Amino acid sequence: MNVYFTEEWVKGFMIGVKIDKVVFTKRTKYQHLAIYDTPQLGRILTLDNVIQTTEKYEYLYHESIVHVPLFSHQNPEDVLIIGGGDGGTLREVLKHPEVKRAVMVDIDGDVVEASKQYLPLWNTGFSDPRAQVLIQDGIKFVAETDEKFDVVLVDSTDPEGPGLVLFTPEFYKNIAKILKPGGIMCAQTESPLATPEMVREIYQRIAKVFPVAKLFVAPVPSYPGSLWSFTCGSFDADPATPVRQPGDSWNLKHYSPEIHRSMFVLSPKIKQDIGITY
Ligand code: AG3
């Protein structure tokens, strides 16, 4: 079989991966969900024909979006994840013994169910008693909850379709309201190499809401641009400085305190394209 899955997030530039097997597909209430087995990237999950996560490279994304904010926080007890239906972010969050409660709010229950059934590498957090999974609109949850969190992670799709609302100034303002003192939010903020204008817009929105807004990067070869960005926002914590560190038994593949610091080192071109002045 010589069948390729192709993604064209950047128009005129496709990412293609050979598929061995279609594991599962479903048109959910919100998006088209597919899980494939591929010889190069292992099992992959796509939403609306966009690669979300791959067995080969998921650790680069999940260790980055989770461990940078959590290791910069003195005592991350209450963590909120918006999106993250595949479970990878939840899995990494629960590695921190400080975490007493991890609430994950994803709008699409079909993604969570598919992960429970077909994504054993990602789904181990769902059975942890500290995990609470809510299938509802994350926008609404953040706007209406009375709870406060130490860390809020936004593990969304691209700013298109169901994910678009997770990049608005209103959403960031509502996150700011539910952060405890010392709290940190961290969102995936697209590729500074593939779509710099988009990253600039998102970063500037976050920087308008949070006095501390720091962007960092990690390689994710299965996403357009190969270099991915995340942005942390806070009122009073420095996301670039780790204050605790992982144990050897965690077996992390990308994150270390040295990598943590290095991820905030940005090239002159990226700084200029995004409008980063610090
Ligand atoms: N969510 C961010 C994926 C964005 C990828 N974009 C693209 N391929 N055009 C990942 C979810 C992982 N838990």
Side-chain angles (χ1 to χ4, degrees):
M1 195 159 82
N2 205 29
V3 177
Y4 274 69
F5 165 87
T6 57
E7 161 177 341
E8 200 183 3
W9 170 240
V10 177
K11 299 296 163 233
F13 184 9
M14 284 189 177
I15 291 180
V17 54
K18 189 174 187 295
I19 293 172
D20 271 347
K21 184 176 155 198
V22 179
V23 177
F24 180 75
T25 61
K26 183 167 183 174
R27 181 154 292 285
T28 77
K29 202 169 150 201
Y30 301 98
Q31 48 210 344
H32 181 262
L33 159 66
I35 297 174
Y36 306 105
D37 278 339
T38 75
Q40 284 303 324
L41 305 181
R43 192 154 285 192
I44 72 170
L45 180 144
T46 68
L47 292 173
D48 288 342
N49 269 343
V50 171
I51 295 177
Q52 297 299 322
T53 189
T54 70
E55 190 174 334
K56 185 167 185 180
Y57 297 127
E58 63 81 21
Y59 71 96
L60 292 161
Y61 178 94
H62 292 121
E63 290 187 13
S64 302
I65 194 170
V66 171
H67 299 311
V68 169
L70 268 80
F71 279 124
S72 306
H73 193 286
Q74 294 292 346
N75 188 22
E77 292 188 343
D78 293 296
V79 177
L80 173 65
I81 302 162
I82 301 295
D86 55 76
T89 294
L90 181 65
R91 179 197 69 206
E92 291 304 312
V93 164
L94 293 166
K95 287 182 179 170
H96 291 254
E98 289 80 8
V99 172
K100 291 195 172 139
R101 198 162 152 254
V103 181
M104 185 188 117
V105 183
D106 197 294
I107 200 165
D108 197 336
D110 284 324
V111 178
V112 175
E113 282 316 307
S115 170
K116 285 184 180 166
Q117 206 166 349
Y118 302 109
L119 303 179
L121 176 66
W122 289 258
N123 68 17
T124 52
F126 291 123
S127 56
D128 190 302
R130 296 172 294 162
Q132 185 183 355
V133 176
L134 305 174
I135 303 305
Q136 60 181 74
D137 184 349
I139 291 286
K140 235 176 130 200
F141 180 89
V142 166
E144 293 172 1
T145 183
D146 298 325
E147 298 175 72
K148 300 254 192 277
F149 296 89
D150 296 303
V151 176
V152 177
L153 305 175
V154 186
D155 183 10
S156 70
T157 53
D158 294 322
E160 197 179 77
L164 185 59
V165 285
L166 299 176
F167 292 87
T168 60
E170 293 67 37
F171 178 60
Y172 298 129
K173 280 182 204 146
N174 286 331
I175 291 179
K177 284 190 204 144
I178 63 168
L179 278 184
K180 293 195 227 172
I184 302 174
M185 88 105 201
C186 184
Q188 79 84 356
T189 48
E190 303 293 310
S191 172
L193 299 184
T195 57
E197 307 79 14
M198 187 179 286
V199 179
R200 183 185 181 96
E201 175 66 31
I202 302 167
Y203 173 79
Q204 297 300 338
R205 286 179 186 181
I206 294 174
K208 276 208 181 88
V209 175
F210 296 93
V212 182
K214 286 193 177 172
L215 181 135
F216 65 97
V217 292
V220 185
S222 46
Y223 294 164
S226 301
L227 186 72
W228 208 250
S229 81
F230 305 84
T231 303
C232 290
S234 181
F235 288 89
D236 42 14
D238 178 14
T241 307
V243 293
R244 295 174 300 107
Q245 55 178 51
D248 291 340
S249 66
W250 291 34
N251 288 321
L252 296 184
K253 295 198 274 282
H254 185 62
Y255 181 89
S256 69
E258 293 77 20
I259 290 280
H260 185 139
R261 291 194 176 84
S262 78
M263 285 196 268
F264 288 87
V265 179
L266 303 170
S267 68
K269 173 159 169 61
I270 290 178
K271 282 193 191 181
Q272 197 187 2
D273 285 351
I274 311 307
I276 288 174
T277 47
Y278 55 81

